[in-house]
Amino acid sequence: TGLDRFRDFAVPTISVNQGLSIAAVDVLEATQDGSIWIGTADGLNRWQDGHMTVYGRRNVPGPNGLAGDRTAIVDARATEIPSSGLRNKVDSLGQDDRGRLWAGTSQGVFYFDNGRFVRVPGLAGGDILSIAGDGQGKVWISNNDEGLFHSTPEGAVQRILWSRFGHRDGATSILPDTSQGGLWLGFFDGGIAYLKDGQIRSSYNAPDGLGNGAVMDLELGSDGAIWAATEGGLSRVKDGRIKTLTSMNGLPCDAVQWAIEDNDHSFWLYMPCGLVRIARSELDAWVSDPKRTVRTMVFDSSDGIWSRGLSGHHTPIVAKSPDGRISFVVPDGVSVIDPRDLPFNNLPPPVYVTQIIANGRKYGASQGLRLPARVRDLSIDYTALSLVAPEKVRFRFKLEGQDDDWREVMNVRQVEYSNLPPGNYRFGVTACNNSGVWNKAGTFLNFSIAPAYYQTTWFRLCCVAAFLAMLWGLYQLRVRQLAREFHMSVEARVSERTRIARDLHDTLLQSFHGLLLRFQAVSNLLPAGDTKQKLESAIDQAAQAITEGRDAVQGLRTSTIESSDLAVAIRTIGAELATDATNHDSVEFSVQVEGTPRDLRPILRDEVYRIAAEALRNAFRHSHGRQIEVEIHYDERQLRLRVRDDGKGMDPKVFSEDGRAGHFGLHGMRERAKLVGGNLTVWSEIDSGTEVELSIPASNAYEKDAGRRLWLNKLAEKLSGKGMPMKS
């Protein structure tokens, strides 16, 4: 008590035990009277109402039989009729429009009438592949060697060569299309064709979407579609559109040997992996969505189904009786299945997670399980209890955080994962029984994997901080390198100016001074007159030039050793320019200083002064403005000098092209700014004034010692504010 019932379903088989002449069955056909005709290597068998009648060869040669050995009849219900008119093995069976059975042999084509087989005149024998009536009185015969024949009720016979269809081999299956009066042909070397009124109206092959390989069977569906059983899947053809159902859509394998529709419009497929049933609702859903996965019911050896691959190409090998039963050829005889009497298991299987194996160590399946760090290999074992058909249990599982969707497997009870990152996980699994009934609740297991030290947040933050510190160090190194290069260039310029000043004083000025003494001696020798007066005037001018040269030499030496306030120098030149401008217009001039003034490098201070002087000259002489302002901003990061006026402005094209032709003031200002490592920008608009701004990095502009003194002064101010006096 408490156990599921054992399997009580098995597909019955007609074999030698029921009087079949031999177990090796080639073809079969079901007629309207309920008979099942079975063609074997030893003759033709008729199974009707549980009784077997054998139309086979006799042991003694005679006018109506062919000599040869045969398997003895082992069932008392079987009757032997050796003088039936058949002399050879039957290769193919079919029916005409009157319901008569037709048989194809190597010696000719026969039809069964009044208990005997009558040979059809005009139809040669050979390798007969398929026979079918077209509903219009004709019977079509596929002869692999000779071509496609059709016989009329009047006895007329016509032939169509296979080369006309573009195939080497004959048609393995003939399917009449009674609704349109045509004929469908399926070929063993692949492809199908539609023949009507003696013309090939259409043909389809693998490049058109048809399944690959041989076409073993054709079936006309109740929806008017043509279903082709191929080695590459089950293909559906309707209105010129082809769709193929394969293992990618839920079939247990790809090769289909035959397909047939039962009275409930479900499809049955015979495949190397078993007998497969697909409900009509599943097929309709797949037709609407070709990417859909169909649900199937599979019957295999455990259900009494003998599966085999695609061995022969004679048809038919499946037939449906008037009562709806399906008979089909199997290796040991003929199996019969009644689609109306299928077992159904209503009990959903309970599902359990049994254990987790991490890095070879087993853990119990307990909720909230914490696994150690660095789990490389993880296996999860699960199972489902179903005693009816445990080998047919299907599972769906999903590891949240790792799997994007549910994964479905057949009779597999373990899943493996590798190199899972640390975190919390939830594993879910559900199962269905052999009848497709799913356990909707399923089961879940929550577990976590601890992080290694290098997988923690603090370790990542430390790596980020170290990386940023490295970048900051590289930045500081580059800044110092640029500053050192700038300082070297400044020192070179200072040395050059000192050399020029020394050379001017020691050579040129001394030479001019000696020459001036000689001119003075010559002047003293000349008598008073116009010539002496002109020479005296030239001597005075030369003396003035020597004085100016000495002042220039003094300026070169003084700018390199003395420091002065930049704001005072700019105020002085601004005041001089403002005094000169008072002859024309009244100009308001001001200089503003922001920040704590700092000592500038001597050479740089001279260049900044000259840039400011040039900007002021342009403003006073050309802007015609009422107000001119100069701002000097001492910043921790840069030195910024801005000169602006409210004058008439100028066209932006002028300063974008380095000024007007023949004027080099703006060009010289930019050259000086570039020499000191600064940036000069000019903004101006017509009637909107002009603004000139010079910015120089602090590392280039300020003296190092001055920077240290400024930092110490600020520190002293902060400490003094806290009540900590500083000693000087």
Side-chain angles (χ1 to χ4, degrees):
T1 60
L3 293 178
D4 292 347
R5 62 184 175 90
F6 287 100
R7 183 179 310 157
D8 56 3
F9 172 76
V11 178
T13 302
I14 303 173
S15 63
V16 293
N17 296 326
Q18 286 75 36
L20 193 64
S21 61
I22 194 170
V25 177
D26 294 317
V27 291
L28 63 84
E29 180 70 42
T31 56
Q32 297 176 1
D33 61 357
S35 300
I36 299 177
W37 293 85
I38 307 169
T40 70
D42 197 46
L44 188 62
N45 303 261
R46 183 181 187 182
W47 175 265
Q48 186 179 29
D49 299 329
H51 185 82
M52 183 72 73
T53 303
V54 180
Y55 300 84
R57 299 177 295 177
R58 301 188 306 170
N59 291 330
V60 180
N64 297 322
L66 180 65
D69 297 331
R70 62 176 303 278
T71 302
I73 298 175
V74 297
D75 195 285
R77 295 173 297 174
T79 301
E80 181 185 8
I81 307 178
S83 300
S84 59
L86 289 179
R87 297 187 179 185
N88 295 87
K89 180 176 74 73
V90 175
D91 291 329
S92 181
L93 296 172
Q95 297 184 63
D96 59 16
D97 297 345
R98 296 168 55 185
R100 297 182 302 181
L101 181 72
W102 287 55
T105 71
S106 60
Q107 297 299 318
V109 179
F110 301 80
Y111 64 85
F112 186 72
D113 191 18
N114 295 325
R116 290 184 60 82
F117 284 90
V118 181
R119 182 172 181 174
V120 180
L123 289 177
D127 189 7
I128 307 300
L129 302 179
S130 182
I131 302 174
D134 63 359
Q136 298 178 356
K138 298 179 181 179
V139 177
W140 294 81
I141 301 97
S142 173
N143 189 315
N144 191 46
D145 302 321
E146 302 295 334
L148 179 66
F149 293 85
H150 72 267
S151 175
T152 65
E154 294 79 15
V157 176
Q158 293 184 359
R159 182 178 72 161
I160 303 175
L161 297 177
W162 295 126
S163 58
R164 184 175 173 184
F165 295 92
H167 289 272
R168 303 185 308 272
D169 300 327
T172 55
S173 180
I174 300 176
L175 177 65
D177 187 356
T178 56
S179 62
Q180 299 183 13
L183 197 71
W184 287 93
L185 304 172
F187 295 91
F188 189 73
D189 56 354
I192 61 176
Y194 181 65
L195 182 69
K196 184 177 181 181
D197 300 331
Q199 300 293 326
I200 302 173
R201 300 300 177 89
S202 59
S203 62
Y204 305 98
N205 293 280
D208 303 314
L210 195 73
N212 293 321
V215 177
M216 300 304 301
D217 188 29
L218 294 175
E219 174 74 6
L220 179 61
S222 57
D223 59 351
I226 302 299
W227 297 85
T230 73
E231 290 182 282
L234 180 65
S235 298
R236 179 182 185 270
V237 182
K238 187 176 182 181
D239 300 330
R241 289 177 291 183
I242 303 177
K243 299 177 182 178
T244 300
L245 185 67
T246 66
S247 57
M248 300 293 293
N249 305 106
L251 292 183
C253 51
D254 283 328
V256 183
Q257 188 159 357
W258 54 256
I260 194 168
E261 185 177 7
D262 63 19
N263 291 344
D264 294 330
H265 306 298
S266 297
F267 263 74
W268 293 79
L269 313 178
Y270 190 73
M271 313 180 74
C273 48
L275 181 63
V276 179
R277 177 184 179 272
I278 308 176
R280 167 56 64 176
S281 58
E282 290 293 318
L283 281 177
D284 291 341
W286 170 75
V287 170
S288 301
D289 181 13
K291 296 183 179 180
R292 176 186 173 90
T293 300
V294 298
R295 292 180 295 179
T296 63
M297 182 180 293
V298 182
F299 301 92
D300 52 22
S301 58
S302 62
D303 302 299
I305 298 295
W306 281 44
S307 301
R308 66 177 181 180
L310 302 175
S311 56
H313 53 281
H314 294 87
T315 59
I317 54 177
V318 61
K320 184 173 66 173
S321 302
D323 60 358
R325 296 188 180 188
I326 298 174
S327 305
F328 54 95
V329 174
V330 292
D332 62 340
V334 176
S335 294
V336 183
I337 190 169
D338 190 351
R340 300 168 300 179
D341 187 22
L342 296 177
F344 194 83
N345 185 1
N346 292 306
L347 297 177
V351 190
Y352 303 94
V353 178
T354 57
Q355 66 178 0
I356 292 182
I357 304 176
N359 292 340
R361 181 178 178 182
K362 297 181 179 180
Y363 298 87
S366 58
Q367 293 292 341
L369 175 66
R370 289 185 58 84
L371 298 176
R374 292 180 291 184
V375 173
R376 295 182 299 274
D377 300 315
L378 179 71
S379 300
I380 303 177
D381 294 346
Y382 54 86
T383 189
L385 303 181
S386 179
L387 300 181
V388 176
E391 71 278 3
K392 293 187 177 182
V393 175
R394 296 201 304 270
F395 296 90
R396 290 177 182 169
F397 60 85
K398 179 181 180 181
L399 182 60
E400 297 181 5
Q402 183 70 19
D403 296 330
D404 297 330
D405 200 358
W406 291 87
R407 298 160 59 186
E408 184 171 335
V409 293
M410 181 73 173
N411 198 27
V412 177
R413 288 171 167 79
Q414 186 184 68
V415 58
E416 297 180 352
Y417 296 94
S418 59
N419 297 322
L420 289 177
N424 298 320
Y425 294 93
R426 179 178 174 87
F427 179 77
V429 59
T430 183
C432 77
N433 60 20
N434 60 313
S435 296
V437 178
W438 286 90
N439 184 330
K440 296 182 179 180
T443 186
F444 293 88
L445 176 65
N446 297 309
F447 65 94
S448 61
I449 299 178
Y453 74 92
Y454 54 82
Q455 295 173 321
T456 57
T457 302
W458 64 265
F459 181 81
R460 296 189 180 97
L461 293 177
C462 291
C463 291
V464 172
F467 180 73
L468 294 177
M470 182 183 67
L471 291 181
W472 176 253
L474 293 175
Y475 170 75
Q476 291 295 326
L477 181 63
R478 180 57 178 168
V479 170
R480 293 182 180 180
Q481 181 182 4
L482 294 176
R484 183 169 60 254
E485 293 176 355
F486 177 77
H487 297 159
M488 292 175 62
S489 65
V490 170
E491 292 176 359
R493 293 184 62 195
V494 170
S495 300
E496 183 65 15
R497 292 183 65 168
T498 304
R499 184 189 65 79
I500 293 173
R502 183 174 58 252
D503 291 344
L504 287 176
H505 180 270
D506 296 340
T507 58
L508 185 61
L509 292 181
Q510 294 296 334
S511 298
F512 275 118
H513 187 71
L515 185 60
L516 182 62
L517 292 177
R518 289 180 177 273
F519 286 157
Q520 186 64 45
V522 173
S523 176
N524 294 332
L525 296 176
L526 291 175
D530 184 56
T531 301
K532 184 175 182 178
Q533 185 177 0
K534 291 181 180 181
L535 182 58
E536 290 290 342
S537 176
I539 292 172
D540 294 338
Q541 293 179 2
Q544 181 64 29
I546 292 174
T547 302
E548 292 177 357
R550 291 183 181 277
D551 293 339
V553 171
Q554 183 65 22
L556 287 174
R557 289 186 172 275
T558 302
S559 62
T560 62
I561 59 175
E562 296 181 358
S563 63
S564 66
D565 194 335
L566 180 62
V568 173
I570 292 177
R571 285 193 183 96
T572 302
I573 189 173
E576 295 177 357
L577 293 173
T579 302
D580 295 339
T582 54
N583 298 328
H584 307 283
D585 299 311
S586 177
V587 179
E588 182 179 350
F589 172 72
S590 63
V591 178
Q592 299 179 3
V593 179
E594 297 182 5
T596 304
R598 303 173 63 172
D599 292 339
L600 305 180
R601 300 179 185 277
I603 298 298
L604 183 140
R605 183 195 62 226
D606 293 348
E607 300 295 348
V608 173
Y609 171 77
R610 288 183 173 86
I611 292 173
E614 182 65 23
L616 288 175
R617 290 190 188 95
N618 292 334
F620 278 100
R621 295 176 181 177
H622 306 295
S623 69
H624 301 291
R626 297 290 183 178
Q627 185 174 0
I628 299 176
E629 298 179 352
V630 178
E631 291 183 1
I632 304 174
H633 186 80
Y634 294 93
D635 195 355
E636 293 293 333
R637 294 180 298 176
Q638 65 180 357
L639 169 68
R640 189 169 67 249
L641 171 70
R642 183 183 295 117
V643 179
R644 58 172 172 259
D645 62 70
D646 60 352
K648 63 180 181 179
M650 58 181 171
D651 189 351
K653 294 182 179 180
V654 175
F655 57 83
S656 64
E657 298 174 355
D658 290 340
R660 294 185 296 270
H663 296 265
F664 303 99
L666 184 59
H667 186 75
M669 294 167 63
R670 286 177 172 168
E671 287 183 347
R672 293 181 184 276
K674 185 177 181 181
L675 288 174
V676 297
N679 182 41
L680 183 73
T681 58
V682 181
W683 177 90
S684 181
E685 291 286 347
I686 301 297
D687 298 330
S688 298
T690 303
E691 180 176 301
V692 178
E693 183 178 28
L694 172 66
S695 58
I696 304 174
S699 58
N700 295 346
Y702 305 141
E703 288 279 10
K704 291 185 178 180
D705 293 340
R708 295 191 186 97
R709 289 195 299 270
L710 179 62
W711 180 81
L712 291 175
N713 292 337
K714 289 186 176 181
L715 179 61
E717 293 176 358
K718 292 182 180 179
L719 295 177
S720 300
K722 295 182 180 180
M724 299 177 61
M726 294 291 294
K727 294 182 179 180
S728 58

